[in-house]
């Protein structure tokens, strides 16, 4: 059986994804066969594996860091927010329905523990080490009883836990101590120590605090990672773009031609796979920004309407803010617009939706001769083709089926003048195609922009992953970290009072933790279910009956994954209504 580690965090966005990827890259460089794992993920940024399974994009990035092919085993449960109070549940890479937060945390989440532990055991039987990423904080005591992603999975696998804290936010010592002190004695026995992330300054000034933390908890700090500018990794949620951050924060390469190219991305509600524009931001002389006002489109050379989990909602949002009118005006003037997935659907003539929003027939912006009908089955594919005379690869994640009725073919979508639309995510990562597309955009925009001839997005991504590995190798005690992965948590770790509080009279031990909080819409509203939402959620077979067979569960959305009864899927759909 292989060794392993759970990377937990004092908060969401403490750096769990980055640290997990960095550890994977460090291990694989020293010859260890390693795989990432996240039992449950909540994200609108997802990816399609070669077997046709949908997983969190962060886990695909971590698999790349480990130099292995991503599979559904690495992220068996994915929650994709679709409204204020519900999320689509993706189990073993395939959607099984919509459900509320109360339904999910009301026992259904706990029933999936058998599924996620089976996936973890399959990975452990194949790899030398498995590095697990937690979600949110393990000390969210209101949800500990049903946890399958933090201490629940650590306890099931007997994995040691490394708690990461973001010192750039402040309060990291209190966060480390409080996180530990709010766990039960059994959970605390697995918390091996801490890792400080995003430190600025002289580490010697931090050492007295680390010594005091050891005195208070009996647990060592395994490293202090410095603040690193411009790390290009796939974000799980939030309104950020990884390589856009690199362009903004680090030395910006001058444009290869005389002009820069300005790209405006409409920050639609429930925006998904905004990583599509990372490759554009990696180009010298291309400036990418998110916008939510019509006037911000005025000086843009290219406007992108990105993917979304709420196409009809995004369309209404564009109209309410005057962005729809600005897009129509741009198209009439021959100024470039690109729609990707949900953004492509918005640009069409008509949307017939009885699945996602259940809004019926809704008029689109009419910029492309396309009619969209939402199907209950989700398209999950890894298409390969060509456009503008160059080879292109991408991936598809959508319920909308496009009936293209004219225009020039473009990546299974179409083009009319300077308006392009496609369901393909990731197409701009194909270097030759991206350069040719930018030439077309510059010509239509009247810019003397010339793309650099040698920009390789794949090479840049590898360089960023190596930087993550360097951070771990240079600033963590890697010998001690390896002993932790290989041998488990040290024995005799002291209990830090008061421990987990009881859930109530006669209640079982608090054993669970929450997933990362819902991504935020541009209005700042939560997009995923809250604890106060209603509904009973997904009826799932008990864990002993849930025995995934790897990617063999990857079937259509109407198929029933192993361990789930037909009534369960029907119940989920009824709840969503």
């Amino acid at each position: 059986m292989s060794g392993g580690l759970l990377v937990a965090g004092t908060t969401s966005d403490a750096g769990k994804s980055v640290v997990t990827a960095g550890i994977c890259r460090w291990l694989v460089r020293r010859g260890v066969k390693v795989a990432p794992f996240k039992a449950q993920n909540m994200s609108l940024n997802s990816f399609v594996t070669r077997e046709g399974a949908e997983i969190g994009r962060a886990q695909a990035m971590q698999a790349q860091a480990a130099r292995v092919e991503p599979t559904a085993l690495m992220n068996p449960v994915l929650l994709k927010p679709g409204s204020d109070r519900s999320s689509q549940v993706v189990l073993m890479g395939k959607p099984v329905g919509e459900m509320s937060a109360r339904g999910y945390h009301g026992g259904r989440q706990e029933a999936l523990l058998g599924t996620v532990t089976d996936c973890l055991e399959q990975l452990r039987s194949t790899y030398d080490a498995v590095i697990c990423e937690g979600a949110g904080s393990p000390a969210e005591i209101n949800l500990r009883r049903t946890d399958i992603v933090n201490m629940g999975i650590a306890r099931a696998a007997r994995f040691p836990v490394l708690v990461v804290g973001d010192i750039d936010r402040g309060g990291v010592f209190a966060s480390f101590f409080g996180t530990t002190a709010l766990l039960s004695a059994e959970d605390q026995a697995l918390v091996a120590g801490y890792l400080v992330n995003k430190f600025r300054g002289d580490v010697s000034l931090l050492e007295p605090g680390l010594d005091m933390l050891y005195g208070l908890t009996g647990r060592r700090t395994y490293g202090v990672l410095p603040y690193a500018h411009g790390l290009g990794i796939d974000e799980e949620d939030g309104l950020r773009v990884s390589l856009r951050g690199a362009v903004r924060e680090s030395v910006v390469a001058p444009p290869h031609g005389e002009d820069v190219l300005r790209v405006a991305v409409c920050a639609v509600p429930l925006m998904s796979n905004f990583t599509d524009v990372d490759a554009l931001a990696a180009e010298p002389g291309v400036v990418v920004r998110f916008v939510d006002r019509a006037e911000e489109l005025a000086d843009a050379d290219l406007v992108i309407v990105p993917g979304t989990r709420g196409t009809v909602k995004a369309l209404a949002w564009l109209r309410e803010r005057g962005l729809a009118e600005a897009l129509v005006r741009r198209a009439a003037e021959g100024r470039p617009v690109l729609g990707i997935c949900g953004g492509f659907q918005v640009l069409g003539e008509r949307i017939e939706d009885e699945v996602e929003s259940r809004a019926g027939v809704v008029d689109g912006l009419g910029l492309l001769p396309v009619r969209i009908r939402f199907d209950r089955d989700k398209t999950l594919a890894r298409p390969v083709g060509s456009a503008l005379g160059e080879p292109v690869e991408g991936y598809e994640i959508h319920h909308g089926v496009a009936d293209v009725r004219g225009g020039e073919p473009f990546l299974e979508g179409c083009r009319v003048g300077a308006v392009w639309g496609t369901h393909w995510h990731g197409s701009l990562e194909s270097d030759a195609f991206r350069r040719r597309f930018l030439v077309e955009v510059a010509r239509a925009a009247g810019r003397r922009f010339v793309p650099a001839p040698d920009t390789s997005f794949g090479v840049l991504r590898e360089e960023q992953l190596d930087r993550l590995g360097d951070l771990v190798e240079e600033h963590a005690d890697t010998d001690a970290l390896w002993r932790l992965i290989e041998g488990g948590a040290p024995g005799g770790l002291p209990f830090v009072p008061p421990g987990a509080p009881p859930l109530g009279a006669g209640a079982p031990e608090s054993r669970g933790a929450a997933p990362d909080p819902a991504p935020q819409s541009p209005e700042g509203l939560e997009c995923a279910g809250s604890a106060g939402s209603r509904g009973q959620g997904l009826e799932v077979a008990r864990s002993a009956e849930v025995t995934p067979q790897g990617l063999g569960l990857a079937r259509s959305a109407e198929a029933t994954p192993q361990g789930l009864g037909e009534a369960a899927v029907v119940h989920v759909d009824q709840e969503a209504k």
Side-chain angles (χ1 to χ4, degrees), residues 106-137:
R108 280 74 183 185
Q109 178 190 34
E110 189 177 19
L112 291 174
L113 182 60
T115 298
V116 301
T117 55
D118 284 344
C119 290
L120 178 57
E121 290 308 302
Q122 289 191 53
L123 291 175
R124 294 181 73 184
S125 68
T126 305
Y127 294 91
D128 300 327
V130 180
I131 307 303
C132 303
E133 180 187 346
S137 164

Side-chain angles (χ1 to χ4, degrees), residues 47-52 69-70 380-384 393-396:
F47 182 75
V48 179
T49 69
R50 294 198 181 280
E51 295 85 354
E69 190 67 31
L380 296 170
R382 290 280 293 270
V384 177
E393 295 184 15
Y395 58 100
E396 295 182 69

Side-chain angles (χ1 to χ4, degrees), residues 225-477:
L225 305 187
Y227 193 102
H229 292 274
L231 286 175
I233 66 162
D234 295 331
E235 302 282 358
E236 287 191 353
D237 299 303
L239 202 59
R240 294 181 299 276
V241 176
S242 55
L243 289 179
R244 171 176 177 257
V247 170
R248 183 180 62 247
E249 295 176 0
S250 60
V251 177
V252 180
H256 193 69
E258 297 181 42
D259 281 348
V260 298
L261 208 63
R262 297 174 176 84
V263 179
V265 184
C266 296
V268 296
L270 298 173
M271 182 168 53
S272 62
N273 289 78
F274 53 77
T275 49
D276 282 332
V277 301
D278 279 5
L280 290 179
E283 284 284 351
V286 176
V287 180
V288 179
R289 68 180 188 274
F290 288 98
V291 302
D292 59 4
R293 295 179 298 180
E295 56 268 27
E296 293 178 292
L297 303 189
D299 66 344
D301 302 306
L302 170 66
V303 174
I304 295 178
V305 187
T308 173
R309 253 280 281 159
T311 299
V312 171
K313 182 176 182 178
L315 180 58
W317 181 85
L318 290 168
R319 285 176 168 141
E320 289 167 1
R321 291 177 172 259
L323 287 160
E325 184 180 351
L327 289 169
V328 172
R329 189 163 55 248
R330 283 185 66 90
E333 295 170 352
R335 303 176 66 196
V337 176
L338 171 64
I340 302 175
C341 200
F344 167 44
Q345 297 166 4
V346 162
L347 300 181
E349 297 172 346
R350 190 179 73 181
I351 300 168
E352 182 182 341
D353 182 10
E354 297 293 348
V355 176
E356 189 175 80
S357 68
R358 295 180 172 85
V361 177
V362 178
D363 289 335
L365 298 186
L367 303 185
L368 293 173
V370 178
R371 295 187 178 184
I372 301 295
R373 176 185 56 82
F374 274 70
D375 192 79
R376 190 167 294 276
D377 285 339
K378 179 186 280 192
T379 297
L380 296 170
R382 290 280 293 270
V384 177
S386 63
L388 305 178
E390 302 292 349
V392 189
E393 295 184 15
Y395 58 100
E396 295 182 69
I397 306 170
H398 55 90
H399 285 280
V401 178
D403 177 12
V404 180
R405 301 189 168 199
E408 178 184 343
F410 177 74
L411 299 178
E412 298 183 1
C414 65
R415 171 188 181 179
V416 174
V419 180
W420 293 266
T422 178
H423 272 134
W424 290 24
H425 294 289
S427 63
L428 294 169
E429 295 179 19
S430 298
D431 297 326
F433 164 72
R434 181 181 66 253
R435 286 192 282 269
R436 184 61 191 157
F437 176 72
L438 290 176
V439 167
E440 293 279 325
V441 168
R443 180 184 297 118
R447 292 285 185 186
R448 291 175 292 182
F449 169 85
V450 178
D454 56 355
T455 301
S456 170
F457 184 75
V459 169
L460 289 172
R461 174 54 54 88
E462 278 296 306
E463 289 175 353
Q464 300 289 39
L465 293 173
D466 275 333
R467 288 184 64 196
L468 295 182
D470 292 343
L471 286 175
V472 171
E473 189 166 348
E474 295 170 10
H475 300 282
D477 186 340

Side-chain angles (χ1 to χ4, degrees), residues 480-541:
L481 196 57
W482 175 245
R483 288 194 298 271
L484 195 62
I485 293 169
E486 192 176 38
L493 292 169
F495 172 71
V496 180
L503 296 179
E509 176 199 5
S510 179
R511 296 186 302 153
D516 289 320
Q520 300 291 306
S521 69
E523 294 91 339
L525 299 176
E526 284 196 352
C527 301
S530 65
S533 59
R534 298 184 179 181
Q536 297 305 309
L538 178 64
E539 296 292 344
V540 185

